[in-house]
């Protein structure tokens, strides 16, 4: 039978509920893991969790925007790597100043996003396919540009401090929160402002809610779609700089698989895969859930393979919850 | 005339397989309400979409205040001062009312890219005050009823302060009081010199509000006349190119027929309160009430589309636990939604698939193979029987005119051949000719022994079609009238028995 009738008045449920659920889940994870292992609540371990969240979190911030438009970006992981490699080449092979390298890395990410946006908006290729293509293109380019070998930043010690230095440690001795974490929080605040306060944010929601209505209202939907994908690319670029700085090297083979963790973070945080709904706060919580889970399981010496299984299952549960709350009246 | 704002001449427009406009002509003057009339598929919406930059024209010319203009995009139309309320709702459900109204031209605060949300809400509130509309600018549009959503569309169009305002069937989802508000606003605008294009199938409205009438048929301009100079009958003949005679059908005696459906003490939240009624075989039960009376909610509950809190549904004497639309269909209940865009039709699929959709198992052969010959002949049959205007059964439903989409949905439920049919606003947006066809069809169905629940906000329709009338108000059944005792006044009296007054 193919009878379908959507429930009335339930088209829009506040994603706030999912955020509360997610936050509750995060607390539960913390309680369970700290009871299970005395090592979990150690300052160093918490810093480890924060650090692990930073890279995935920045990627997730970016992908939240495209998901709210009703699209998807599968290329964020490898674009991140491409940005890292480009930064590496500029700083170590061309011996140019660190800030310039960072800038070029960010621009490389944005450029990849721009290309995604152009292909999706102008050629009308579905986001899934377009960004799947970009995933491979960026992966290949990263390998080509790096010459298949990791690029180490040994000639530029300043670069490593971008992620691993600690501004807080300089102010409050001993309170060494790595800069990568601070950068993540800063990026989250900026992303949240963009999403809720600016025109770009408004049209991000409008595109996901009813693109045709936006078009008929005179919104240049193509231009804004391109802008959103470019922004997502810019966040991937930032993630690339952070991960390169953190590892003090650009690893061209790394990156694929990161996109799924990032998408998972957004979805767990209440961003709806059907578009129109989502929040940065939710995504930040989602990113913390994933890294806390991975960290806790590792502390409990659950094998790596099983960690993957668990995170995979969590994503399915999160999406299911999203569907359930949508169905309720 | 020197006060002509818009002149469209020799406009043609074709879609694959359809010549939607072959001789579009339209002259609009400032300070007039100009009705654009025609049967379903006559090309009214298409002509206005050409004027508002949604479809490019194939040929012809448009003069705006005497100047030849090209209108390639919706934005270009807005910039000229032309705005439109589309026949279909075009809103973003996840955004608030105010955000929807100002989409694409949000006031900014200080920084160029930063929105001034406060100002959006404030301006919206002023707009609503002017319209006497009780609505919070910060409500999410997806949570509103269709009628409220329509008022948001109207508010949005007004907010442009355009010189030309096009309304494509604005009153279709509205009730009497809302229509009165709208007419008051329209008259105010006319005073100010705004030119208004008004498309509607409710011909009695035309007499009330329009100064001139332009009639179209089959994509052609037929004539423009002053509303005072013609009778409704004359307008109708111009529209259909023939004369329609309507005779009131005889009401069959169904009181002692067996009961096919019994609803007992149905409750759901605040929208359905202790609703009980019976439906007899071969009966047309009209359900009247104002917007928000809970009629659609009851229909949806019976159809299993929404869960109920308590109550029983009894089909043919047996308790029927209906939990989903699938269950309802199994028990022989069909439902035609009032909101065809969202729930009724699969707009992206073709006419044939839509007609076969709710009864696919009828067309299945060995191993789930679809008997496409049979779906084709069935679809062809209903296209002919219901006079659905489409180039072929392969046409996507999205591309049909609004009225023809409705007919496709009716065809779909006739294919399913369920014994109980719930029609929710069956003639909304349907032209006079098609309307009388649908009435004829309802009568035929009931004389074949099918039982029909007909929800309608148009009292003349209720009075003309029903064998018995059920009136609802605020989720309760406030009265039941045999058709012989039903009058507009009595129904309205029952429909306004609000609990707060009791
Ligand atoms: N996008 C489209 N693609 C193909 N055919 C279309 C499209 N839009 C309209 N048509 C066809 O053009 C013709 C005119 O349609 P239009 O919507 O203008 O009619 P209408 O007069 O507004 O009717 P109604 O009163 O039912 O709304 C119809 O035959 C319709 O099927
Ligand atoms: Mg129309």
């Amino acid at each position: 039978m193919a009878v379908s009738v959507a429930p009335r008045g339930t088209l829009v449920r506040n994603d706030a509920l999912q955020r509360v659920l997610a936050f509750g889940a995060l607390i539960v994870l913390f309680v369970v893991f700290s009871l299970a292992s005395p090592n979990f609540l150690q300052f160093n371990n918490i810093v480890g969790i924060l650090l692990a969240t930073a890279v995935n979190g920045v990627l997730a911030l970016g992908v939240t925007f495209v998901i709210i438009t009703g699209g998807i970006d599968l290329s964020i992981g490898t674009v991140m790597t491409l940005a890292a490699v480009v930064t590496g080449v500029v700083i170590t092979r061309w011996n140019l100043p660190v800030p310039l390298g960072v800038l070029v890395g960010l621009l490389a990410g944005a450029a990849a996003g721009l290309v995604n946006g152009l292909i999706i908006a102008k050629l009308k290729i579905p986001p899934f396919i377009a960004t799947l293509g970009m995933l491979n293109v960026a992966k290949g380019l990263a390998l080509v540009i790096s010459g298949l070998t990791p690029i180490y930043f040994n000639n530029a010690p300043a670069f490593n401090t971008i992620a691993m230095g600690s501004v807080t440690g300089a102010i409050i001795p001993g309170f060494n929160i790595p800069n990568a974490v601070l950068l993540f929080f800063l990026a989250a605040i900026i992303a949240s402002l963009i999403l809720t306060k600016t025109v770009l944010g408004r049209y991000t929601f409008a595109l996901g809610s009813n693109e045709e209505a936006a078009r008929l209202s005179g919104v240049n939907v193509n231009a804004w779609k391109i802008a959103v994908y470019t922004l997502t690319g810019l966040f991937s670029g930032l993630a690339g700089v952070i991960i390169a700085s953190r590892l003090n090297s650009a690893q061209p083979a790394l990156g694929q698989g990161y996109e799924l963790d990032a998408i998972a973070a957004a979805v767990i945080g209440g961003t709806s895969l059907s578009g129109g709904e989502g929040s940065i706060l939710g995504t930040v919580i989602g990113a913390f859930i994933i890294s806390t889970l991975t960290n806790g399981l590792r502390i409990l010496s659950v094998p790596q393979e099983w960690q993957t299984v668990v995170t995979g299952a969590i994503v399915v549960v999160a999406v299911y919850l999203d569907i359930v709350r949508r169905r309720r009246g | 005339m020197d006060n002509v704002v818009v002149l469209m001449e020799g406009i043609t427009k074709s879609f694959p397989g359809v010549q939607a406009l072959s001789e579009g002509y339209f002259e609009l003057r400032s300070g007039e309400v100009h009705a654009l009339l025609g049967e379903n598929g006559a090309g009214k919406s298409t002509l206005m979409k050409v004027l508002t930059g949604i479809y490019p024209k194939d040929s012809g010319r448009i003069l705006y205040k005497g100047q030849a203009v090209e209108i390639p995009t919706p934005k270009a139309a807005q910039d000229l001062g032309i705005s439109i309320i589309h026949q279909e709702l075009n809103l973003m459900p996840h955004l608030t009312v105010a955000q929807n109204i100002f989409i694409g031209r949000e006031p900014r605060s200080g920084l160029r890219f930063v929105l001034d949300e406060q100002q959006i809400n404030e301006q919206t509130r002023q707009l609503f005050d002017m319209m006497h509309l009780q609505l919070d600018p910060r409500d999410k549009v997806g949570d509103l009823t269709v009628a409220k959503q329509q008022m948001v569309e109207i508010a949005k169009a007004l907010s442009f302060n355009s010189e030309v305002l096009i309304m494509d069937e604005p009153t279709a989802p509205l009730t009497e009081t809302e229509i009165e508000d709208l007419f008051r606003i329209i008259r105010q605008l006319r005073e100010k010199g705004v030119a208004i294009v008004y498309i509607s199938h409710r011909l009695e409205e035309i007499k009330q509000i329009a100064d001139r009438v332009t009639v179209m048929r089959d994509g052609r301009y037929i004539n423009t006349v002053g509303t005072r100079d013609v009778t409704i009958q004359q307008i109708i003949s111009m529209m259909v190119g023939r004369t329609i005679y309507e005779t009131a059908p005889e009401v069959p005696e169904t009181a002692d027929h067996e009961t096919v459906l019994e609803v007992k003490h149905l409750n759901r939240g605040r929208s359905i309160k202790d609703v009980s009624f019976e439906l007899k075989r071969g009966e047309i039960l009209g359900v009247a009430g104002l917007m928000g009376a809970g009629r659609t909610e009851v229909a949806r509950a019976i159809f299993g589309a929404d869960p109920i809190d308590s109550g029983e549904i009894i089909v043919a004497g047996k308790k029927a636990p209906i939990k989903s639309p699938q269950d309802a269909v199994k028990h022989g209940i069909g439902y035609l939604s009032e909101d065809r865009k969202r729930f009724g039709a699969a707009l992206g699929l073709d006419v044939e698939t839509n007609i076969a959709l709710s009864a696919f198992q009828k067309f299945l052969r060995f191993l789930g193979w679809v008997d496409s010959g049979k779906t084709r002949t069935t679809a062809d049959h209903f296209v002919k029987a219901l006079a659905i205007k489409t180039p072929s059964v392969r046409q996507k439903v999205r591309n049909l005119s609004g009225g023809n989409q409705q007919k496709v949905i009716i065809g779909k439920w006739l294919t399913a051949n369920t014994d109980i049919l719930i029609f929710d606003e069956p003639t909304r947006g349907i032209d006079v000719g098609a309307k009388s066809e649908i009435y004829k069809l309802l009568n035929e169905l009931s004389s074949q022994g099918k039982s029909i629940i007909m929800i309608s906000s148009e009292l003349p329709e209720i009075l003309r079609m029903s064998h018995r009338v059920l009136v609802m108000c605020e989720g309760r059944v406030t009265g039941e009238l045999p058709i012989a005792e039903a009058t507009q006044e009595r129904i309205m009296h029952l429909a306004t028995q609000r609990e707060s007054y009791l």
Side-chain angles (χ1 to χ4, degrees), chain A residues 22 26 53 56 261 264-266 268-269 281-291:
Chain A
L26 186 58
T53 312
N56 182 38
D261 277 351
I268 290 173
L281 179 59
T283 296
V284 169
I285 297 171
F288 273 113
I289 287 186
I290 291 188
S291 47

Side-chain angles (χ1 to χ4, degrees), chain A residues 1-15 196-203 205-219 224 274-277 326 329, chain B residues 54 74-75 78 86 90-95 99 103-106 108 112-115 117 120 140 142-143 145 156 268 296-297 300 303 305-306 325-326 329 338 342-343 357-358 361 413:
Chain A
M1 290 305 297
V3 182
S4 71
V5 178
R8 190 189 183 85
T10 56
L11 196 63
V12 178
R13 279 299 127 206
N14 218 319
D15 53 341
T196 57
K197 300 283 182 229
T198 70
V199 189
L200 179 60
R202 176 62 41 81
Y203 294 158
F205 283 103
L207 286 173
S209 190
N210 187 347
E211 184 175 331
E212 179 66 3
R215 190 179 72 84
L216 293 179
S217 305
V219 174
W224 290 105
S274 43
E277 267 179 71
R326 228 165 264 285
Chain B
I54 292 158
K75 187 96 175 75
Q78 279 174 17
H86 287 283
N90 273 296
L91 295 167
M92 286 148 286
H94 302 87
L95 269 50
Q99 290 168 353
I103 190 78
R105 56 204 168 100
E106 294 81 359
R108 315 287 166 86
R112 260 195 63 196
F113 287 107
V114 179
L115 301 165
E117 201 70 2
I120 291 181
K140 283 209 173 170
D143 292 335
T145 60
K156 180 174 165 186
R268 171 175 155 80
T296 296
E297 284 72 11
R300 291 177 56 90
F303 189 59
D306 296 327
Q326 282 86 339
V329 174
E338 63 174 337
R342 246 159 70 190
F343 309 131
L357 202 59
S358 67
Q361 74 275 46
W413 286 108

Side-chain angles (χ1 to χ4, degrees), chain A residues 63 66 71-76 113 116 127 131 229 232-233 236 259 263:
Chain A
V63 85
V66 285
I72 195 79
D73 189 344
L74 299 176
S75 69
I76 48 176
N116 276 334
T131 59
Y229 279 90
T232 301
S236 305
E259 67 280 350
I263 293 168

Side-chain angles (χ1 to χ4, degrees), chain A residues 43-62:
Chain A
F43 181 74
N44 280 343
N45 190 50
I46 298 298
V47 168
I49 292 178
L50 288 171
L51 203 52
T53 312
V55 170
N56 182 38
V58 170
L59 285 177
L61 294 176

Side-chain angles (χ1 to χ4, degrees), chain B residues 353-415:
Chain B
T353 313
N354 268 282
I355 287 181
L357 202 59
S358 67
F360 237 88
Q361 74 275 46
K362 284 194 178 170
F363 303 104
L364 292 186
R365 288 196 307 216
F366 186 59
L367 287 179
W369 190 267
V370 177
D371 185 344
S372 53
K374 213 166 136 198
T375 56
R376 168 61 66 94
T377 44
T378 310
D380 276 334
H381 166 74
F382 283 115
V383 164
K384 231 179 263 128
L386 301 175
I388 299 172
K389 203 171 164 202
T390 172
S392 88
V393 292
R394 290 265 183 256
Q395 178 72 303
K396 284 193 177 151
V397 171
R398 184 192 311 284
N399 295 335
L400 299 187
S401 76
N404 283 302
Q405 292 181 2
Q406 181 73 321
K407 291 190 194 170
V408 169
I409 300 172
I410 294 181
K412 163 177 134 179
W413 286 108
L414 294 180
T415 311

Side-chain angles (χ1 to χ4, degrees), chain B residues 44-45 87 168-169 401-402:
Chain B
K44 307 178 294 289
S45 299
Q87 188 169 5
D168 197 345
E169 296 194 36
S401 76

Side-chain angles (χ1 to χ4, degrees), chain B residues 233 244-252 284 435-436 439-444 446 460-467 483:
Chain B
Q233 265 311 319
I244 295 183
Y245 296 101
E246 292 199 351
T247 47
E250 275 179 27
V251 176
I284 301 179
K435 221 175 198 167
S436 74
Y439 291 160
K440 213 167 80 202
L441 202 88
L442 288 179
N443 283 323
E444 271 171 32
S446 84
E461 177 167 294
I462 289 273
L463 291 171
R464 182 171 184 278
M465 292 307 299
S466 317
H467 304 166
I483 195 65

